[in-house]
Amino acid sequence: MALFGLFSGKKKSSAAAAKERLQILISHERQNRHGPDFLPELQRDILAVVKKYVAVRDDHVSIRLDRAGDASVLELNVTLPEN
Amino acid sequence: MATVVTVTSGKGGVGKTTSSAAIAAGLAQAGHRTVVIDFDVGLRNLDLIMGVERRVVFDFVNVISGEATLNQALIQDKRLENLSILAASQTKDKDALTEEGVGQVLDQLAEMGFEYIVCDSPAGIERGATMALHFADHAVIVTNPEVSSVRDSDRILGILQSKSKRAKEGGKVHEHLLITRYDPVRVENGEMLSKEDVCDILAVKLIGVIPESKAVLKASNTGVPVILDDDADAGLAYGDAVARFLGEDRPMRFVTPKKQGLFSRILGGGD
């Protein structure tokens, strides 16, 4: 708006950054919301095992528990780095 | 049948008590017999915001433990004849709020003919907060357009959807989002989450946007619910929110920056 603002160049607004961070965080927290209490610990342990062999980033492992009928499916997703 | 409206947020300092006082006063103004209960045992403040701090003799916990009757503990508002206040205890600890005890008091209030029971939840997710949530038919989630407040609101929504009485019985609590301390100028400048951003993230229907306003501090200084201040933008915005709660369709006000003069715009004033 202000005259000075015209010359300061475009930066991503801090509100946009806040929204992006919140969306990622909240979707993550919602996934864990309905799962059993041991799920976060299980995820940590599995990550530790995978890391012994492959260098993966913490956020490249996702774990979820789905219930279908009378069976529960534990789904583990590990994104391996290229090479 | 009384309707239980719980005002909650997770995070402290976002305006729960201010909003509880305003909503309760607004419902009473609209002609509904209303009682507002402070669930913040040990740290009561609703009495102060309602301007009845010198009239508290018995409180919520006294009633639950049988030391006083509900009639003795209820404080009749002097401005609105439809409105009563039930203060929290200042000395006893939170465990005094039992599910059975709270349930009985709510039932008794309904029998006395109150149409709306507004529960002012404490911050956090401890007993006082979960008790306030447990019996909710409606929940008003008070959120500031700020990351920690939005995150805590989402957490509270999770608790509502799993631990409340309605949820446990397979039903659903009606959720309403109330955004407070909104600054349209900062939103326009990209410095503050917009109401659309907050609605997107939380996926709850917006019931009102209360602008950041000097009138709120003035109202709490004097112990008058801000909704009774007809000259204040925040008071009018609360009035709109209560009307929407009661089913009226009203456009959002005070959500765009006030028009500035050309001179101040060129100089960058108002930032």
Side-chain angles (χ1 to χ4, degrees):
Chain A
M1 256 308 178
L3 209 54
F4 302 113
L6 288 176
F7 305 107
S8 59
K10 279 261 181 282
K11 255 194 311 183
K12 200 172 88 176
S13 74
S14 64
K19 185 179 184 187
E20 202 182 307
R21 290 175 60 216
L22 271 172
Q23 278 175 325
I24 293 166
L25 176 72
I26 284 180
S27 78
H28 182 75
E29 287 183 343
R30 280 179 190 163
Q31 270 180 22
N32 294 337
R33 192 179 282 169
H34 302 292
D37 295 342
F38 63 78
L39 218 54
E41 260 176 79
L42 181 64
Q43 176 161 2
R44 223 171 304 136
D45 289 353
I46 290 174
L47 184 68
V49 173
V50 175
K51 268 186 165 169
K52 257 172 81 177
Y53 302 95
V54 198
V56 290
R57 278 179 34 198
D58 285 14
D59 55 346
H60 283 177
V61 178
S62 75
I63 185 166
R64 55 185 293 179
L65 195 68
D66 285 324
R67 285 198 186 82
D70 53 359
S72 293
V73 179
L74 185 70
E75 184 186 305
L76 177 71
N77 255 310
V78 183
T79 313
L80 296 175
E82 285 179 49
N83 309 321
Chain B
M1 218 8 220
T3 303
V4 178
V5 184
T6 298
V7 179
T8 182
S9 71
K11 191 177 182 299
V14 297
K16 278 183 299 298
T17 302
T18 298
S19 299
S20 298
I23 290 168
L27 290 169
Q29 254 182 335
H32 301 284
R33 269 198 80 194
T34 304
V35 56
V36 56
I37 309 178
D38 192 346
F39 274 73
D40 205 344
V41 173
L43 289 169
R44 74 162 174 237
N45 274 316
L46 179 70
D47 54 336
L48 205 50
I49 300 302
M50 293 296 299
V52 298
E53 69 277 7
R54 296 175 65 179
R55 296 169 59 204
V56 179
V57 181
F58 294 110
D59 57 58
F60 194 15
V61 174
N62 290 142
V63 178
I64 291 175
S65 58
E67 294 157 10
T69 65
L70 199 44
N71 268 318
Q72 286 175 304
L74 283 174
I75 303 168
Q76 160 74 52
D77 189 87
K78 286 192 169 153
R79 297 155 295 223
L80 298 162
E81 59 167 353
N82 279 329
L83 182 60
S84 295
I85 297 113
L86 184 54
S89 164
Q90 194 64 309
T91 49
K92 306 223 165 99
D93 77 319
K94 294 193 243 306
D95 295 335
L97 295 183
T98 59
E99 194 176 305
E100 195 193 356
V102 173
Q104 280 172 357
V105 172
L106 297 184
D107 286 345
Q108 222 181 316
L109 288 167
E111 278 166 30
M112 289 167 80
F114 285 102
E115 293 166 76
Y116 287 101
I117 303 172
V118 178
C119 302
D120 179 21
S121 169
I125 49 174
E126 301 288 318
R127 188 170 199 88
T130 52
M131 274 302 127
L133 283 179
H134 184 76
F135 295 96
D137 296 310
H138 291 259
V140 176
I141 318 290
V142 183
T143 308
N144 289 168
E146 180 271 324
V147 287
S148 54
S149 175
V150 175
R151 181 201 208 171
D152 289 356
S153 291
D154 191 66
R155 182 106 169 79
I156 283 292
L157 286 165
I159 295 173
L160 264 175
Q161 291 159 8
S162 58
K163 303 260 163 70
S164 64
K165 186 162 173 271
R166 276 192 167 219
K168 283 179 179 162
E169 289 167 356
K172 204 174 174 312
V173 176
H174 300 279
E175 299 160 352
H176 312 271
L177 177 64
L178 182 69
I179 301 179
T180 55
R181 309 201 69 164
Y182 197 71
D183 185 337
V185 174
R186 301 197 74 184
V187 170
E188 195 176 77
N189 291 340
E191 298 168 12
M192 182 180 267
L193 289 166
S194 68
K195 62 185 199 310
E196 290 81 9
D197 289 341
V198 181
C199 287
D200 271 4
I201 294 165
L202 294 177
V204 176
K205 196 167 179 295
L206 187 64
I207 197 175
V209 178
I210 313 301
E212 174 79 64
S213 166
K214 288 180 178 170
V216 173
L217 183 60
K218 190 180 136 206
S220 59
N221 284 344
T222 49
V224 179
V226 69
I227 198 169
L228 300 180
D229 185 348
D230 290 334
D231 300 324
D233 46 1
L236 296 169
Y238 271 117
D240 289 348
V242 171
R244 286 185 203 107
F245 180 85
L246 293 171
E248 231 179 274
D249 195 14
R250 287 199 185 177
M252 293 285 169
R253 289 192 274 179
F254 320 111
V255 290
T256 48
K258 288 191 188 95
K259 292 260 188 307
Q260 287 180 350
L262 181 65
F263 191 66
S264 65
R265 248 192 296 177
I266 290 172
L267 291 177
D271 287 333

Coordinates of all heavy atoms in Angstrom, one line a residue, chain B residues 141-198:
Chain B
I141 N -15.8 -22.4 19.4 CA -14.4 -22.5 19.5 C -13.8 -21.1 19.3 O -13.9 -20.6 18.2 CB -13.8 -23.5 18.4 CG1 -14.7 -24.7 18.2 CG2 -12.4 -23.8 18.6 CD1 -14.6 -25.7 19.4
V142 N -13.2 -20.6 20.3 CA -12.7 -19.2 20.2 C -11.2 -19.3 19.8 O -10.4 -20.0 20.4 CB -12.8 -18.5 21.6 CG1 -12.3 -17.0 21.4 CG2 -14.2 -18.5 22.1
T143 N -10.9 -18.7 18.6 CA -9.6 -18.8 18.0 C -9.0 -17.4 17.6 O -9.7 -16.6 17.0 CB -9.7 -19.7 16.8 OG1 -10.3 -20.9 17.1 CG2 -8.3 -20.0 16.2
N144 N -7.8 -17.2 18.0 CA -7.1 -16.0 17.4 C -6.4 -16.4 16.1 O -6.0 -17.5 16.0 CB -6.0 -15.5 18.4 CG -6.5 -14.9 19.7 OD1 -5.8 -14.7 20.6 ND2 -7.8 -14.6 19.7
P145 N -6.3 -15.5 15.2 CA -5.7 -15.8 13.9 C -4.1 -15.9 14.1 O -3.4 -15.0 13.6 CB -6.0 -14.6 13.0 CG -6.5 -13.6 13.9 CD -6.8 -14.1 15.2
E146 N -3.7 -16.9 14.8 CA -2.3 -17.0 15.2 C -2.0 -18.5 15.3 O -2.9 -19.3 15.7 CB -2.2 -16.3 16.5 CG -0.9 -16.2 17.2 CD -0.7 -17.4 18.1 OE1 -1.7 -17.8 18.7 OE2 0.4 -17.9 18.1
V147 N -0.8 -19.0 15.0 CA -0.6 -20.4 14.8 C -0.9 -21.3 16.0 O -1.5 -22.3 15.9 CB 0.9 -20.7 14.3 CG1 1.0 -20.3 12.8 CG2 1.9 -20.0 15.1
S148 N -0.4 -20.8 17.2 CA -0.6 -21.7 18.4 C -2.1 -21.8 18.8 O -2.5 -22.9 19.2 CB 0.2 -21.2 19.6 OG 0.0 -19.9 19.9
S149 N -2.8 -20.7 18.6 CA -4.2 -20.8 18.9 C -5.0 -21.7 18.0 O -5.9 -22.5 18.4 CB -4.8 -19.4 18.8 OG -6.2 -19.4 19.0
V150 N -4.7 -21.6 16.7 CA -5.3 -22.5 15.7 C -5.0 -24.0 16.0 O -5.9 -24.8 15.9 CB -4.9 -22.1 14.3 CG1 -5.5 -23.1 13.2 CG2 -5.3 -20.7 13.9
R151 N -3.8 -24.3 16.3 CA -3.4 -25.6 16.6 C -4.2 -26.2 17.8 O -4.7 -27.3 17.8 CB -1.9 -25.7 16.8 CG -1.4 -27.1 17.1 CD -0.1 -27.1 17.8 NE 0.6 -28.3 17.6 CZ 1.9 -28.5 17.9 NH1 2.5 -27.5 18.5 NH2 2.5 -29.6 17.7
D152 N -4.2 -25.4 18.8 CA -4.9 -25.8 20.1 C -6.4 -26.0 19.8 O -7.0 -26.9 20.4 CB -4.7 -24.8 21.2 CG -3.2 -24.9 21.7 OD1 -2.5 -25.7 21.2 OD2 -2.9 -24.1 22.6
S153 N -7.0 -25.1 19.0 CA -8.4 -25.3 18.6 C -8.6 -26.6 17.9 O -9.6 -27.3 18.2 CB -8.8 -24.1 17.7 OG -8.8 -22.9 18.4
D154 N -7.7 -27.0 17.1 CA -7.9 -28.3 16.4 C -7.8 -29.4 17.4 O -8.6 -30.4 17.2 CB -6.8 -28.4 15.3 CG -7.1 -29.6 14.4 OD1 -8.1 -29.5 13.7 OD2 -6.4 -30.6 14.4
R155 N -6.9 -29.3 18.4 CA -6.8 -30.3 19.4 C -8.1 -30.4 20.2 O -8.6 -31.5 20.5 CB -5.7 -29.9 20.3 CG -5.4 -30.8 21.4 CD -4.1 -31.6 21.1 NE -3.6 -32.3 22.3 CZ -4.1 -33.5 22.7 NH1 -5.1 -34.0 22.0 NH2 -3.7 -34.0 23.8
I156 N -8.7 -29.3 20.5 CA -10.0 -29.3 21.3 C -11.1 -29.9 20.4 O -11.9 -30.6 20.9 CB -10.3 -27.8 21.7 CG1 -9.5 -27.4 22.9 CG2 -11.8 -27.7 22.0 CD1 -9.8 -28.1 24.2
L157 N -11.1 -29.6 19.1 CA -12.1 -30.2 18.2 C -12.0 -31.7 18.2 O -13.0 -32.4 18.3 CB -11.9 -29.7 16.8 CG -12.4 -28.3 16.6 CD1 -11.8 -27.7 15.2 CD2 -13.9 -28.2 16.6
G158 N -10.7 -32.2 18.3 CA -10.5 -33.7 18.4 C -11.1 -34.3 19.6 O -11.7 -35.3 19.6
I159 N -10.9 -33.5 20.7 CA -11.5 -34.0 22.0 C -13.0 -34.0 22.0 O -13.7 -34.9 22.4 CB -10.9 -33.2 23.2 CG1 -9.4 -33.4 23.3 CG2 -11.6 -33.5 24.5 CD1 -8.7 -32.5 24.3
L160 N -13.6 -32.9 21.4 CA -15.0 -32.8 21.3 C -15.6 -34.0 20.5 O -16.7 -34.5 20.8 CB -15.4 -31.5 20.5 CG -15.7 -30.3 21.3 CD1 -15.9 -29.1 20.3 CD2 -17.0 -30.5 22.1
Q161 N -14.9 -34.3 19.4 CA -15.4 -35.4 18.5 C -15.2 -36.8 19.1 O -15.7 -37.7 18.5 CB -14.7 -35.2 17.2 CG -15.2 -33.9 16.4 CD -14.3 -33.5 15.4 OE1 -13.3 -34.1 15.0 NE2 -14.5 -32.3 14.8
S162 N -14.4 -36.9 20.1 CA -14.2 -38.3 20.7 C -14.6 -38.4 22.1 O -15.1 -39.5 22.5 CB -12.7 -38.7 20.5 OG -11.9 -37.8 21.2
K163 N -14.5 -37.4 22.9 CA -14.7 -37.6 24.4 C -16.1 -37.0 24.9 O -16.4 -37.2 26.0 CB -13.6 -36.9 25.2 CG -12.2 -37.5 24.8 CD -11.7 -38.5 25.8 CE -10.6 -39.3 25.3 NZ -9.3 -38.6 25.2
S164 N -16.7 -36.2 24.1 CA -17.9 -35.5 24.6 C -19.1 -36.6 24.7 O -19.0 -37.6 24.1 CB -18.4 -34.4 23.7 OG -18.7 -34.9 22.4
K165 N -20.1 -36.2 25.5 CA -21.2 -37.2 25.8 C -21.9 -37.5 24.4 O -22.2 -38.6 24.1 CB -22.1 -36.5 26.8 CG -23.3 -37.4 27.2 CD -23.8 -36.8 28.5 CE -25.1 -37.5 29.0 NZ -26.3 -36.9 28.4
R166 N -22.1 -36.4 23.7 CA -22.8 -36.6 22.4 C -22.0 -37.5 21.5 O -22.6 -38.4 20.8 CB -23.0 -35.3 21.7 CG -24.2 -34.5 22.2 CD -24.5 -33.4 21.3 NE -25.9 -32.9 21.5 CZ -26.7 -32.5 20.6 NH1 -26.4 -32.5 19.3 NH2 -27.9 -32.0 20.9
A167 N -20.7 -37.3 21.4 CA -19.8 -38.2 20.6 C -19.9 -39.6 21.0 O -20.0 -40.5 20.2 CB -18.4 -37.6 20.6
K168 N -19.8 -39.8 22.3 CA -19.8 -41.2 22.9 C -21.2 -41.9 22.6 O -21.2 -43.1 22.5 CB -19.6 -41.2 24.4 CG -18.1 -40.9 24.7 CD -17.8 -40.9 26.2 CE -16.4 -40.7 26.5 NZ -16.2 -40.2 27.9
E169 N -22.2 -41.1 22.5 CA -23.5 -41.7 22.2 C -23.8 -41.8 20.7 O -24.9 -42.0 20.3 CB -24.6 -40.8 22.9 CG -24.6 -41.0 24.4 CD -25.5 -40.0 25.1 OE1 -26.0 -39.1 24.5 OE2 -25.6 -40.1 26.4
G170 N -22.7 -41.5 19.9 CA -22.8 -41.6 18.5 C -23.4 -40.4 17.8 O -23.6 -40.4 16.6
G171 N -23.5 -39.3 18.5 CA -24.0 -38.1 17.9 C -22.8 -37.1 17.6 O -21.7 -37.5 17.5
K172 N -23.2 -35.9 17.5 CA -22.2 -34.9 17.2 C -22.5 -33.6 17.9 O -23.7 -33.2 18.0 CB -22.2 -34.7 15.6 CG -20.9 -34.1 15.1 CD -21.0 -34.1 13.6 CE -19.8 -33.4 13.0 NZ -19.3 -32.2 13.5
V173 N -21.5 -32.9 18.4 CA -21.6 -31.6 19.0 C -21.6 -30.6 17.8 O -20.8 -30.7 16.9 CB -20.5 -31.3 20.0 CG1 -20.6 -29.9 20.5 CG2 -20.5 -32.3 21.1
H174 N -22.6 -29.6 17.8 CA -22.6 -28.6 16.8 C -21.4 -27.6 17.1 O -21.3 -27.0 18.1 CB -23.9 -27.8 16.9 CG -25.1 -28.6 16.7 ND1 -25.5 -29.0 15.4 CD2 -26.0 -29.1 17.6 CE1 -26.6 -29.7 15.6 NE2 -26.9 -29.8 16.8
E175 N -20.5 -27.5 16.1 CA -19.3 -26.7 16.3 C -19.4 -25.4 15.5 O -19.9 -25.3 14.4 CB -18.1 -27.4 15.7 CG -17.8 -28.8 16.4 CD -17.0 -29.7 15.5 OE1 -16.7 -29.4 14.4 OE2 -16.6 -30.8 16.1
H176 N -19.0 -24.3 16.2 CA -19.0 -23.0 15.6 C -17.7 -22.3 15.9 O -17.2 -22.3 17.0 CB -20.1 -22.1 16.3 CG -21.4 -22.7 16.4 ND1 -22.4 -22.7 15.4 CD2 -22.0 -23.5 17.4 CE1 -23.5 -23.4 15.8 NE2 -23.2 -23.9 17.0
L177 N -17.1 -21.7 14.9 CA -15.8 -21.0 15.0 C -16.0 -19.5 15.2 O -16.8 -18.9 14.5 CB -15.0 -21.3 13.7 CG -13.6 -20.6 13.7 CD1 -12.7 -21.1 14.7 CD2 -13.0 -20.8 12.3
L178 N -15.4 -19.0 16.3 CA -15.5 -17.6 16.6 C -14.0 -17.0 16.6 O -13.2 -17.4 17.4 CB -16.1 -17.3 17.9 CG -16.3 -15.9 18.3 CD1 -17.4 -15.2 17.5 CD2 -16.7 -15.8 19.8
I179 N -13.7 -16.2 15.6 CA -12.4 -15.7 15.5 C -12.4 -14.3 16.2 O -13.2 -13.4 16.0 CB -11.9 -15.5 14.0 CG1 -12.0 -16.8 13.3 CG2 -10.5 -14.9 13.9 CD1 -11.6 -16.8 11.9
T180 N -11.4 -14.2 17.2 CA -11.3 -12.9 17.9 C -10.0 -12.3 17.7 O -9.1 -12.9 17.2 CB -11.5 -13.2 19.4 OG1 -10.5 -14.2 19.8 CG2 -12.9 -13.7 19.8
R181 N -9.9 -11.0 18.1 CA -8.7 -10.2 18.0 C -8.3 -10.1 16.5 O -7.1 -10.2 16.2 CB -7.6 -10.7 18.8 CG -8.0 -10.9 20.3 CD -6.8 -11.0 21.2 NE -6.2 -9.6 21.3 CZ -5.4 -9.3 22.2 NH1 -5.0 -10.1 23.2 NH2 -4.9 -8.1 22.3
Y182 N -9.2 -9.9 15.6 CA -8.9 -9.9 14.2 C -8.5 -8.5 13.7 O -9.2 -7.5 14.1 CB -10.2 -10.3 13.4 CG -10.0 -10.7 12.0 CD1 -9.4 -11.9 11.7 CD2 -10.5 -9.9 11.0 CE1 -9.2 -12.3 10.4 CE2 -10.3 -10.3 9.6 CZ -9.7 -11.5 9.4 OH -9.6 -11.9 8.0
D183 N -7.5 -8.4 13.0 CA -7.0 -7.1 12.6 C -7.0 -7.0 11.0 O -6.0 -7.6 10.4 CB -5.6 -6.8 13.1 CG -5.0 -5.4 12.8 OD1 -5.5 -4.8 11.8 OD2 -4.1 -5.0 13.5
P184 N -8.0 -6.5 10.4 CA -8.1 -6.5 8.9 C -7.0 -5.9 8.2 O -6.6 -6.3 7.1 CB -9.4 -5.8 8.7 CG -10.2 -5.7 10.0 CD -9.2 -5.8 11.0
V185 N -6.4 -4.9 8.8 CA -5.2 -4.2 8.1 C -4.0 -5.2 8.0 O -3.4 -5.4 7.0 CB -4.8 -2.9 8.9 CG1 -3.6 -2.3 8.3 CG2 -6.0 -1.9 8.9
R186 N -3.8 -5.9 9.1 CA -2.7 -6.8 9.1 C -3.0 -8.0 8.2 O -2.1 -8.6 7.6 CB -2.3 -7.3 10.5 CG -2.0 -6.2 11.5 CD -1.3 -6.6 12.7 NE 0.1 -7.1 12.4 CZ 0.9 -7.6 13.3 NH1 0.5 -7.8 14.5 NH2 2.1 -7.9 13.0
V187 N -4.2 -8.4 8.1 CA -4.6 -9.5 7.2 C -4.4 -9.1 5.8 O -3.8 -9.8 5.0 CB -6.1 -9.9 7.4 CG1 -6.6 -10.8 6.3 CG2 -6.3 -10.5 8.8
E188 N -4.8 -7.8 5.5 CA -4.6 -7.3 4.1 C -3.1 -7.3 3.7 O -2.7 -7.5 2.6 CB -5.2 -6.0 3.9 CG -5.4 -5.6 2.4 CD -6.1 -4.3 2.2 OE1 -5.5 -3.3 2.4 OE2 -7.3 -4.4 1.9
N189 N -2.3 -6.9 4.7 CA -0.8 -6.9 4.5 C -0.1 -8.2 4.5 O 1.1 -8.3 4.4 CB -0.2 -6.0 5.5 CG -0.6 -4.5 5.4 OD1 -1.0 -4.1 4.3 ND2 -0.4 -3.7 6.4
G190 N -0.9 -9.3 4.7 CA -0.3 -10.6 4.7 C 0.5 -10.9 6.0 O 1.3 -11.8 6.0
E191 N 0.2 -10.2 7.1 CA 0.9 -10.4 8.3 C 0.1 -11.3 9.3 O 0.6 -11.6 10.3 CB 1.2 -9.1 9.0 CG 2.0 -8.1 8.3 CD 2.0 -6.7 8.9 OE1 1.5 -6.6 10.1 OE2 2.5 -5.8 8.3
M192 N -1.2 -11.5 8.9 CA -2.0 -12.3 9.9 C -2.9 -13.2 9.1 O -3.3 -12.9 8.0 CB -2.9 -11.3 10.6 CG -3.9 -11.9 11.6 SD -4.9 -10.6 12.5 CE -3.9 -10.3 13.9
L193 N -3.1 -14.4 9.6 CA -4.0 -15.4 9.0 C -5.4 -14.8 8.7 O -5.9 -14.1 9.6 CB -4.2 -16.6 9.8 CG -3.0 -17.6 10.0 CD1 -3.2 -18.5 11.2 CD2 -2.7 -18.3 8.7
S194 N -5.9 -15.0 7.6 CA -7.3 -14.4 7.3 C -8.3 -15.4 7.8 O -8.0 -16.5 8.2 CB -7.5 -14.3 5.8 OG -7.5 -15.6 5.2
K195 N -9.6 -14.9 7.9 CA -10.6 -15.7 8.4 C -10.8 -16.9 7.5 O -11.1 -18.0 8.0 CB -11.9 -14.9 8.6 CG -12.5 -14.3 7.3 CD -13.7 -13.4 7.7 CE -14.6 -13.2 6.5 NZ -14.0 -12.7 5.3
E196 N -10.6 -16.7 6.2 CA -10.7 -17.9 5.3 C -9.6 -18.9 5.6 O -9.9 -20.1 5.5 CB -10.6 -17.4 3.8 CG -11.8 -16.6 3.3 CD -11.7 -15.1 3.7 OE1 -10.7 -14.7 4.3 OE2 -12.7 -14.4 3.5
D197 N -8.4 -18.4 5.9 CA -7.3 -19.4 6.2 C -7.7 -20.2 7.4 O -7.6 -21.5 7.4 CB -6.0 -18.6 6.6 CG -5.4 -17.9 5.4 OD1 -5.7 -18.3 4.2 OD2 -4.6 -17.0 5.6
V198 N -8.2 -19.6 8.4 CA -8.5 -20.3 9.7 C -9.6 -21.3 9.5 O -9.6 -22.4 9.9 CB -8.8 -19.3 10.8 CG1 -9.1 -20.0 12.1 CG2 -7.7 -18.3 11.1

